[in-house]
Amino acid sequence: MNRPQLLILAASLAFGGVAHAAAPATHAHAKQAVAIDASNPFAKPSTLPFQYPAFDKVKDAHFVPAFNAGMAEHLAEIEAIANNPKAPTFENTIVAMEKSGKLLGRVSTYFFGVKGANTNPEMDKIATEMSPKLAAHSDAIFLNAKLYERIKALYDKRDALKLGKEEKYLLERYNTDFVRSGVKLSAADKEKLKAINGETAKLQNKFTQNVLKEINTSVLIVDTREELAGMSEAQINAAAAAAKSRGHEGKYAIVMVNTTGQPSLSVLTNRSVRERLSKLALERGSNGGEYDNRELVRQLAKLRAEKAVLLGYENFAAYQLEDRTAKTTTAVNGLLAELAKPAVTNARREAADIQKMIDAEKGNFQVSAADWDHYTDKVRAERYAFDQNQLKPYFELDNVLTKGVFFAANKLYGLSFKERRDLPVYHEDVRVFDVFDANGKQLAIFIADMYARPSKRGGAWANAYVAQSKLMGTRPVISNNLNIPKPPKGEPTLLTYDEVRTAFHEFGHALHGMFSDVTYPRFSGTSVPRDFVEYPSQVNEMWMDHPLVLANYARHYQTGAAMPKELLDKVIAADKFNQGMKTTENVAASLLDQRWHQLKPSEIPADVLAFEAAALKEAGVDFAPVPPRYRTTYFSHVFSGGYSAGYYSYLWSEKLDADTVEWFKENGGLLRKNGDHFRKTLLSRGGSQDAMEMFRNFRGRDPKIEPLLERRGLVGVSN
Ligand SMILES: [Zn+2]
């Protein structure tokens, strides 16, 4: 199974929540209070239910004043804590910090949430302006020696403080967060670090914007309908509309998604069109154009390597991994090496099957990356007597969401959902649901933003507009963002099998946010280690083809007929077929991420593409028909921030996921008692406990690797 396009954006990932709050200029004169106009919607918490964001009231002009006032207010609060004449207590230091930065938290979560889903040139400009300021703000807090003295004093006597379990863990986290941020560095090194953090934030933001602009620019324009042979009428109409909106009336545009693979490649029968599309996709960010990212990659890799050295680590990956469940580069390199060989062996076998099909058709060419999906579908069709397009009529979007995703959550956790149309939205395609717990009380508000649009970044992700915290008295408002192509007006939205999987996956993140039942904002919802956060979401994918769930949602959009069982059986059997390719492209991307972030500052290569090629070759995953899922120059996960040295997290989390799926099966599957156990031990705990301790509480033991190897067809594969 393949999930790596699915990204989680926790509210606390970069901003909001105190421990991760970001912040402004560091000179004393910049600290004077900057008042916010009372008419600014960010001045006070939203008065809508659950503090749901006032999407109808916020204008672009509100952001900058709110950011500036928010940073100033936060910094003043932090100064007051650091300079408190009273001796440090948990309450006057740690709790006070947890409560600080409310205004900044409000504007940050709103701004970055909406920017991901529906940006505009003004918001891009603001992000460019704010990202270094926010990095500096964060440094002003985490490099504050006086503040840290208080934290350290508490930390050193933590056992004597008689703290509750969550409180004690919070104190330990604060100490770790500050040490890792560089608070123990000399004054001169702190200045160096601040410069690095500011520059990094600026370049990451530029990388993000380049990737989105490149996707919108790298559109394949074809002249004739005939060249789109293989596409459905609806897809061709969408291509015509896309061309028209880009000023190519009468032609057809194939629009990109942000992975290396492009959905159209599976259906297009014209090989030269496939080749043009694939080439365009692979060359994104390295084609010498306006949005070329090669130099940015070099600079980012260098800055991160320098930061790691400054903080006393061998390289950036070592620095990042220390704070994750993997702990070391040795562990991550080990997992990738263990998977690489059997994965490529399987991919080569699949390639041989594909080549046979090409030869039988007298194709007279060698399979390339441009051909893979198209012929995989053909091999599947021959071997399993079905093709993907037979499924789509059974996967209508509203059915998938309300009768599939929601239905499974009802069976497992007792949740129920009611759509409401009275709350404002930032785009007309967005839907809003009240979520009720089994006892009938409202638990959360869920926002479903399912359609692709040029103003939305690629991939799929979940984010919290309001994060749960008992201390702050907040309850969750959680959003899921997908990129499903919107059909022409009047036509149904029919999903692919992978898109259905994505819907279940992202809702797994949403559950993690909605079930959160912690006291402190630092621990809310998905605030867990990066290589743990994909685990609950991947588990939620298991319900998409559960017989009971499937019977409820997979109904023909015209006739209402249930999906025939033999069709489903074929899907499941055929799902094993392409696993060599899927594991290989994932391992290759994970390897690239690690190679870039295991460099010393002096080792940054001059030639980005040559380095990439050599890294893949050295690891034995340089199999041209299966390129990495993301190439370096459009690898937003790792060069925009969130998953730097962390792309392996998907595979790492999958070990826990596959082992958990086994647990559900051993215990009777889709039952309330099982859901409740998962919720109680894990989904409700946020980051308030050590991650692996939560896993053991759930599973009763440490995770095993076998279920993952089995799932990916890697058992007994030798080279
Ligand atoms: Zn995810």
Side-chain angles (χ1 to χ4, degrees):
M1 292 200 245
N2 205 22
R3 308 137 163 125
Q5 80 279 25
L6 317 171
L7 190 69
I8 169 83
L9 265 192
S12 58
L13 179 57
F15 313 99
V18 173
H20 292 258
T26 51
H27 304 293
H29 63 260
K31 285 177 193 165
Q32 68 204 21
V34 180
I36 184 167
D37 194 291
S39 67
N40 189 310
F42 294 113
K44 290 205 173 66
S46 163
T47 54
L48 295 170
F50 283 63
Q51 300 185 17
Y52 179 96
F55 290 117
D56 55 340
K57 300 236 162 49
V58 175
K59 305 278 175 285
D60 290 342
H62 294 133
F63 293 126
V64 172
F67 269 119
N68 287 334
M71 288 190 280
E73 175 193 285
H74 192 198
L75 214 52
E77 290 166 334
I78 294 293
E79 286 298 325
I81 297 166
N83 297 313
N84 188 340
K86 294 196 179 126
T89 63
F90 184 79
E91 197 66 29
N92 75 18
T93 304
I94 305 297
V95 174
M97 285 190 71
E98 285 288 282
K99 286 181 174 168
S100 69
K102 290 193 192 87
L103 169 57
L104 181 58
R106 280 198 296 274
V107 63
S108 295
T109 47
Y110 184 104
F111 179 80
F112 290 102
V114 175
K115 183 179 175 292
N118 195 27
T119 192
N120 64 44
E122 180 61 20
M123 289 181 85
D124 285 351
K125 203 177 127 242
I126 294 168
T128 302
E129 184 188 327
M130 283 300 153
S131 52
K133 287 189 185 176
L134 289 166
H137 178 71
S138 179
D139 282 342
I141 296 168
F142 286 101
L143 299 180
N144 183 327
K146 257 185 119 173
L147 178 61
Y148 180 62
E149 263 175 45
R150 295 177 71 87
I151 295 167
K152 175 131 192 331
L154 293 167
Y155 176 76
D156 286 344
K157 57 174 182 186
R158 61 193 178 283
D159 288 325
L161 293 176
K162 298 202 175 67
L163 296 171
K165 197 175 172 194
E166 188 175 336
E167 283 72 21
K168 188 172 173 212
Y169 193 58
L170 183 66
L171 176 54
E172 289 167 356
R173 278 312 319 178
Y174 263 76
N175 187 65
T176 306
D177 289 344
F178 272 78
V179 172
R180 286 177 53 77
S181 297
V183 75
K184 291 183 168 177
L185 294 179
S186 70
D189 280 349
K190 277 183 185 168
E191 289 310 311
K192 271 189 214 163
L193 186 63
K194 285 178 192 169
I196 289 174
N197 287 343
E199 187 65 11
T200 302
K202 212 168 88 189
L203 297 182
Q204 286 181 171
N205 178 57
K206 175 94 175 138
F207 189 97
T208 310
Q209 296 191 6
N210 277 355
V211 169
L212 183 56
K213 285 173 182 161
E214 186 82 328
I215 285 175
N216 288 330
T217 311
S218 301
V219 172
L220 181 66
I221 305 288
V222 302
D223 295 333
T224 64
R225 231 181 145 80
E226 289 67 41
E227 288 170 285
L228 299 182
M231 280 190 172
S232 67
E233 267 316 291
Q235 286 168 324
I236 293 174
N237 291 342
K244 191 178 169 191
S245 75
R246 285 169 171 79
H248 297 276
E249 182 146 20
K251 296 187 179 183
Y252 304 87
I254 304 179
V255 182
M256 294 269 167
V257 298
N258 74 328
T259 47
T260 293
Q262 299 297 320
S264 311
L265 289 173
S266 67
V267 294
L268 290 165
T269 60
N270 182 321
R271 185 164 195 246
S272 98
V273 176
R274 286 203 306 270
E275 284 181 316
R276 282 161 62 201
L277 181 62
S278 181
K279 187 166 181 285
L280 205 58
L282 282 161
E283 288 177 353
R284 275 172 297 156
S286 63
N287 51 24
E290 193 183 349
Y291 308 119
D292 195 308
N293 269 335
R294 282 175 293 182
E295 189 51 33
L296 278 182
V297 164
R298 293 184 64 251
Q299 291 172 13
L300 275 167
K302 186 149 191 288
L303 286 166
R304 289 174 183 165
E306 285 169 354
K307 173 171 176 165
V309 169
L310 202 55
L311 291 167
Y313 296 84
E314 199 174 341
N315 54 57
F316 189 73
Y319 166 68
Q320 290 285 72
L321 295 174
E322 181 199 59
D323 202 35
R324 295 187 179 144
T325 69
K327 305 282 184 215
T328 64
T329 52
T330 312
V332 173
N333 293 344
L335 173 76
L336 297 179
E338 186 179 2
L339 298 176
K341 254 191 182 180
V344 176
T345 303
N346 280 354
R348 286 182 190 279
R349 264 187 217 151
E350 290 159 8
D353 288 336
I354 288 171
Q355 193 61 48
K356 263 185 229 155
M357 175 70 76
I358 293 171
D359 295 347
E361 289 183 356
K362 305 211 184 321
N364 203 23
F365 59 85
Q366 287 295 309
V367 59
S368 75
D371 307 313
W372 190 282
D373 288 356
H374 186 63
Y375 282 91
T376 288
D377 278 0
K378 286 192 171 195
V379 173
R380 242 194 227 117
E382 188 188 69
R383 190 171 297 176
Y384 303 98
F386 105 99
D387 79 84
Q388 295 277 358
N389 287 320
Q390 285 174 265
L391 296 174
K392 288 189 89 168
Y394 296 94
F395 294 152
E396 190 276 320
L397 176 60
D398 186 62
N399 280 343
V400 169
L401 182 65
T402 62
K403 295 180 178 157
V405 173
F406 290 173
F407 175 78
N410 176 266
K411 291 288 158 201
L412 272 174
Y413 308 107
L415 299 186
S416 56
F417 300 82
K418 192 162 183 271
E419 184 157 16
R420 61 189 292 174
R421 295 186 169 81
D422 57 325
L423 291 175
V425 288
Y426 53 83
H427 189 279
E428 58 180 3
D429 288 342
V430 173
R431 298 173 70 182
V432 183
F433 298 85
D434 281 339
V435 184
F436 299 93
D437 214 337
N439 62 9
K441 279 174 70 177
Q442 188 166 359
L443 177 73
I445 294 179
F446 175 67
I447 298 175
D449 182 359
M450 310 303 264
Y451 287 116
R453 61 183 77 97
S455 58
K456 200 179 201 176
R457 66 183 180 75
W461 68 96
N463 63 298
Y465 280 103
V466 181
Q468 180 274 338
S469 157
K470 284 187 247 184
L471 181 73
M472 312 301 272
T474 50
R475 294 187 294 161
V477 177
I478 310 289
S479 171
N480 275 178
N481 302 270
L482 273 70
N483 263 294
I484 295 166
K486 196 173 178 186
K489 218 175 167 59
E491 291 186 34
T493 307
L494 303 178
L495 274 57
T496 65
Y497 191 63
D498 278 346
E499 286 165 343
V500 175
R501 188 197 310 287
T502 303
F504 277 85
H505 175 101
E506 294 307 331
F507 199 72
H509 289 306
L511 289 170
H512 206 175
M514 297 193 295
F515 285 147
S516 179
D517 187 24
V518 300
T519 301
Y520 300 100
R522 171 68 178 81
F523 291 146
S524 188
T526 52
S527 309
V528 295
R530 200 95 310 236
D531 58 2
F532 193 78
V533 77
E534 295 301 331
Y535 154 51
S537 53
Q538 290 182 172
V539 169
N540 204 51
E541 295 173 24
M542 76 178 285
W543 308 114
M544 71 176 283
D545 54 16
H546 186 283
L548 207 63
V549 180
L550 204 82
N552 200 57
Y553 80 87
R555 295 191 167 266
H556 197 282
Y557 77 97
Q558 284 165 319
T559 66
M563 179 189 277
K565 180 165 185 318
E566 54 281 15
L567 183 57
L568 175 71
D569 289 345
K570 287 176 193 168
V571 181
I572 293 170
D575 210 35
K576 287 240 188 256
F577 172 66
N578 207 29
Q579 284 303 311
M581 180 272 192
K582 289 191 169 182
T583 310
T584 299
E585 64 163 9
N586 188 337
V587 169
S590 304
L591 265 160
L592 285 182
D593 172 30
Q594 287 302 317
R595 289 291 179 272
W596 277 111
H597 292 114
Q598 291 182 20
L599 293 172
K600 295 190 175 71
S602 61
E603 295 171 342
I604 306 303
D607 185 334
V608 168
L609 298 186
F611 176 80
E612 178 182 287
L616 296 174
K617 188 165 197 297
E618 187 194 307
V621 289
D622 58 330
F623 182 43
V626 183
R629 187 170 172 81
Y630 299 91
R631 291 189 75 194
T632 301
T633 53
Y634 49 87
F635 206 165
S636 284
H637 284 76
V638 311
F639 288 105
S640 296
Y643 283 69
S644 324
Y647 195 71
Y648 77 96
S649 300
Y650 292 92
L651 286 166
W652 191 267
S653 297
E654 197 179 332
K655 179 171 144 186
L656 308 182
D657 154 34
D659 200 19
T660 298
V661 168
E662 290 297 304
W663 180 90
F664 271 102
K665 287 181 180 163
E666 287 162 14
N667 287 280
L670 187 72
L671 299 172
R672 270 295 301 280
K673 72 172 172 81
N674 291 342
D676 287 349
H677 177 62
F678 194 38
R679 174 176 177 176
K680 182 163 176 264
T681 51
L682 215 136
L683 292 177
S684 63
R685 301 314 319 140
S688 66
Q689 280 167 257
D690 174 76
M692 294 314 290
E693 180 189 326
M694 285 190 272
F695 180 85
R696 283 188 292 273
N697 288 345
F698 163 71
R699 189 67 172 98
R701 58 161 171 74
D702 282 320
K704 291 183 178 165
I705 185 97
E706 286 75 13
L708 166 65
L709 299 179
E710 167 77 21
R711 171 192 287 184
R712 286 190 172 261
L714 301 176
V715 179
V717 180
S718 57
N719 214 348

